[in-house]
Amino acid sequence: MTTTSTAGDEMQHADVLVVGGGPVGLLTAYQLALFANPVAVPSPRIRVIEQYSKSTQDSYGRAITLFPRSAELLDQLGLAEALAQQAFACRETASYNASGEEVEGRGWDFMRSMGEGKTKWDCALVLRQKYQEDVFRTALRDKGVEVEAGVKLVDVVVDERVESPGWKVLATLEHLDAGVKEQVRCRFLVGADGGRSSVRRLLDIPFDGSMTEDRWVRIDGPIKTNVPKPRAYVSLESPTHGNVLWAALDHGATRIGFAFTPERQKAYAEFDEAAAVQEAKAAVKPFELEFEGVDWYTIYVVGQRIARRFSVADCVFLAGDACHTHSSGAAQGLNTGVHDAVNLAWKISLVLKGVADPSLLATYELERRPNVEKLISYDKDIARLMTMQLPDGWRGNPQADPNEVLGAVLAESASFSSGLGISYSLEDTQNPLNCYGPESLVSDKVQPGQRVPDIILQKPGTFEGTRLHQETPNRGSFHILVLTGSAYEQVDKIRQKLSQTRPVRSREIEWLTVVLGEWPGAYEILGGPAIGKFFCDRDGSGHASFASYAASKGLIVILRPDGWIGSILPLQPASVTMIKSYFETCKIDTA
């Protein structure tokens, strides 16, 4: 084996090395390339390596479902439309008992209304990982970054004597086809290399948790069936295979997922494609099922694990399955990885640009760990219920039907599962990103650390409808939203205060002003220009989504790059100082 640095024997450098070419790694790299601002600073050098070349069969399987909040996040990155072009948009669900009778309020019933009235993405986008990766890879290629396949990370050393964001990481890569090793110095390394993460292993980060003895099977392909509602998210209550997943997929295919009990395993000396087909047919009885072809199948052991640390020395980060694993019972694996990538990338980008202090990176684990722990906690219950077992520590009726309990658990966690209810703590004093200003009125509708409501606005001139998320795309920058309410006179005072205050008008902050009603132009109602872009709130519903007092008093909202609320401030000139203080506390330079 030959070890080298480069063809010219000079050490290679990459600002960010992403290990893993799956959805989480691709999405992280894409954001870092998207957020680059070559006018201000040189674009970062980003490399993405992937050890495995995927076979045709493997490429189809694994993750399939993007819930509403994930779709919103991807939409703000300019990716959701391309996914939607190929996906099956699922709004229909059904549950059938062991006799084949449809029963209400069980299984995936919560999906019918999980985003209703809250988001334009009021459905689950069902698209197999192969096609998701194609979209992400194409977008990344358009930014000038190619995935390097057949490259394995074999060693990683962190030099903690080097201050961030210096070249703290030394990675050794092996080019498997050529038999050549290469050393690369990095500012940051992101481990998005799955449940068997080499990054996590090489850095000796414990993977806490356990695996169960439960085995599950997943099989995809085009089918023929007499299931009454086959193009939906369906649960089938099988006495032999647990609560069976039936998911309509992209390109007309269907996924069947079921528990493979020890009793059923005895029938097979070897579990192959024919066995997977045979068990799928048995799992959906009393309905009939024929596979016209098999795109993919797998058998796996269910377990829940979480990395003891999500990062090392503010320069190496774990994301997605490298950081946490759980069953596919709640269909959350990919969604959790998307949230990880979106939370992390803008923070790394601001540090690379010299805009943010490296201490900002500690908020990645502060914000993501509680949500991952919450998911793992309820995933344990869901995994047991799907195998017809009541949860550990169950205090209810010991004779309760696991199918009924499962429906209740999924319904109770609907806000979290959809992603629309995922929030970051307002109480964590170590995290300055989510806070109220010292003179703020507490909002009765939304809080700092929660998702920004996607309110409907009207553009000036045409009064054409638009949405707040559309007007605040994620480009790694903050937005400040001024909701005037009827306190229009405050806008001019704030504008004057801003003219006297050097910070808070940088390229990393974009302003929007939203007024009540419809007006021919900003001057007609404000007596001067809007602060930033100008929009109308025709019926006041946008203001009402933020606070009941917003229509009378107005308010100012700091929007984080990832679409969560950073702070809520009163509509008054003094808030300019509070905005400055917010960014100073977060150690983000707004000069």
Side-chain angles (χ1 to χ4, degrees):
M1 179 72 68
T2 301
T3 301
T4 185
S5 296
T6 68
D9 290 328
E10 294 180 1
M11 179 70 70
Q12 283 273 30
H13 287 74
D15 291 287
V16 184
L17 175 65
V18 178
V19 181
V24 176
L26 294 171
L27 184 58
T28 302
Y30 169 74
Q31 291 176 90
L32 292 170
L34 179 68
F35 300 160
N37 186 353
V39 174
V41 293
S43 295
R45 174 84 195 283
I46 302 162
R47 290 183 63 179
V48 183
I49 62 170
E50 170 57 53
Q51 177 179 348
Y52 302 103
S53 57
K54 297 180 181 179
S55 69
T56 301
Q57 200 264 2
D58 285 342
S59 67
Y60 277 98
R62 307 178 74 178
I64 59 171
T65 307
L66 290 165
F67 283 114
R69 184 58 176 151
S70 297
E72 286 186 339
L73 297 176
L74 294 168
D75 194 24
Q76 290 188 283
L77 292 167
L79 297 170
E81 291 292 343
L83 295 167
Q85 286 290 330
Q86 301 185 66
F88 175 78
C90 184
R91 292 180 173 85
E92 184 67 34
T93 70
S95 296
Y96 299 98
N97 62 21
S99 300
E101 301 166 331
E102 186 169 0
V103 289
E104 294 294 328
R106 296 193 191 180
W108 303 97
D109 185 70
F110 76 92
M111 290 174 59
R112 294 181 181 180
S113 57
M114 61 182 172
E116 191 174 329
K118 299 176 183 177
T119 174
K120 72 176 185 179
W121 298 101
D122 59 349
C123 62
L125 288 181
V126 186
L127 183 65
R128 283 171 286 181
Q129 187 166 319
K130 162 187 166 61
Y131 300 109
Q132 295 180 36
E133 289 182 5
D134 287 346
V135 170
F136 297 157
R137 201 179 297 254
T138 298
L140 186 59
R141 185 179 298 118
D142 289 343
K143 294 296 177 184
V145 181
E146 291 280 356
V147 177
E148 302 173 47
V151 180
K152 178 181 179 181
L153 178 73
V154 295
D155 192 29
V156 57
V157 177
V158 176
D159 187 347
E160 299 197 32
R161 296 171 301 176
V162 178
E163 291 187 5
S164 292
W167 304 98
K168 295 181 69 167
V169 183
L170 178 62
T172 302
L173 312 181
E174 182 180 343
H175 295 258
L176 299 177
D177 289 343
V180 173
K181 287 185 178 179
E182 169 193 12
Q183 289 191 316
V184 182
R185 286 207 177 275
C186 323
R187 298 184 193 275
F188 299 104
L189 187 149
V190 178
D193 50 340
R196 297 185 178 90
S197 171
S198 59
V199 176
R200 190 185 65 240
R201 176 177 51 81
L202 289 168
L203 291 172
D204 293 323
I205 298 175
F207 207 30
D208 298 326
S210 62
M211 305 301 287
T212 70
E213 296 182 359
D214 296 331
R215 291 178 178 267
W216 288 5
V217 175
R218 296 287 185 265
I219 181 170
D220 298 354
I223 63 165
K224 291 182 178 179
T225 184
N226 62 348
V227 168
K229 296 179 180 177
R231 303 304 293 167
Y233 238 86
V234 177
S235 65
L236 301 167
E237 300 170 359
S238 168
T240 55
H241 292 75
N243 195 286
V244 177
L245 167 70
W246 178 296
L249 299 177
D250 53 85
H251 297 78
T254 299
R255 170 168 294 183
I256 311 294
F258 49 89
F260 190 42
T261 65
E263 188 64 30
R264 303 295 300 188
Q265 294 171 32
K266 293 176 182 178
Y268 303 97
E270 177 184 359
F271 193 82
D272 54 14
E273 180 180 304
V277 170
Q278 185 172 329
E279 284 300 302
K281 290 180 177 180
V284 303
K285 288 181 178 179
F287 298 111
E288 297 175 1
L289 174 67
E290 293 292 335
F291 277 89
E292 296 179 322
V294 174
D295 294 332
W296 171 83
Y297 75 94
T298 189
I299 180 171
Y300 65 100
V301 178
V302 177
Q304 293 84 19
R305 292 177 180 249
I306 183 169
R308 193 169 298 176
R309 291 180 291 161
F310 286 18
S311 66
V312 174
D314 287 339
C315 62
V316 179
F317 300 89
L318 300 177
D321 287 354
C323 197
H324 42 77
T325 61
H326 29 84
S327 82
S328 62
Q332 286 296 313
L334 174 62
N335 294 275
T336 308
V338 168
H339 281 255
D340 288 349
V342 171
N343 186 282
L344 177 62
W346 68 269
K347 297 172 182 178
I348 292 179
S349 178
L350 288 183
V351 173
L352 282 174
K353 293 175 183 177
V355 172
D357 187 85
S359 60
L360 176 68
L361 300 168
T363 64
Y364 169 62
E365 181 165 354
L366 287 174
E367 294 188 328
R368 293 302 304 142
R369 177 178 284 278
N371 283 283
V372 170
E373 290 175 342
K374 182 176 181 179
L375 168 61
I376 285 177
S377 177
Y378 95 86
D379 180 71
K380 290 179 180 179
D381 292 347
I382 289 174
R384 284 187 60 83
L385 289 164
M386 285 191 164
T387 54
M388 302 303 292
Q389 305 170 80
L390 291 170
D392 288 332
W394 173 251
R395 297 181 180 180
N397 181 357
Q399 303 303 316
D401 181 350
N403 293 302
E404 291 184 4
V405 177
L406 175 62
V409 170
L410 287 172
E412 288 170 6
S413 60
S415 179
F416 184 84
S417 295
S418 72
L420 299 173
I422 289 176
S423 61
Y424 301 132
S425 176
L426 185 59
E427 308 298 329
D428 193 335
T429 56
Q430 294 180 290
N431 183 4
L433 285 173
N434 315 304
C435 64
Y436 274 108
E439 298 180 32
S440 293
L441 293 172
V442 175
S443 170
D444 53 353
K445 298 292 181 69
V446 293
Q447 305 288 330
Q450 293 181 349
R451 161 189 174 268
V452 177
D454 192 18
I455 61 176
I456 297 174
L457 303 171
Q458 287 72 46
K459 295 181 179 181
T462 63
F463 297 132
E464 175 188 355
T466 186
R467 305 185 78 104
L468 181 59
H469 288 190
Q470 183 178 340
E471 301 300 332
T472 55
N474 184 0
R475 298 298 180 265
S477 301
F478 285 80
H479 290 85
I480 298 180
L481 176 66
V482 178
L483 294 167
T484 68
S486 57
Y488 302 113
E489 72 285 351
Q490 294 296 326
V491 177
D492 183 59
K493 296 176 183 178
I494 292 169
R495 188 169 53 242
Q496 291 181 36
K497 182 71 172 179
L498 281 170
S499 68
Q500 302 162 10
T501 308
R502 181 169 169 260
V504 303
R505 294 302 294 268
S506 78
R507 63 169 51 91
E508 305 303 335
I509 300 174
E510 298 182 33
W511 290 71
L512 302 85
T513 299
V514 178
V515 300
L516 278 174
E518 289 182 340
W519 297 90
Y523 275 79
E524 305 305 311
I525 182 62
L526 301 177
I531 305 173
K533 297 176 71 175
F534 175 68
F535 297 95
C536 297
D537 179 9
R538 175 187 291 147
D539 59 4
S541 61
H543 283 66
S545 295
F546 281 89
S548 60
Y549 61 78
S552 58
K553 298 176 181 292
L555 51 80
I556 297 174
V557 186
I558 298 177
L559 311 184
R560 297 167 26 152
D562 54 8
W564 270 264
I565 297 173
S567 190
I568 300 175
L569 307 170
L571 186 69
Q572 60 186 34
S575 288
V576 173
T577 302
M578 292 184 226
I579 292 169
K580 180 182 177 182
S581 177
Y582 171 86
F583 287 107
E584 287 177 346
T585 304
C586 295
K587 297 185 178 180
I588 295 171
D589 184 6
T590 59

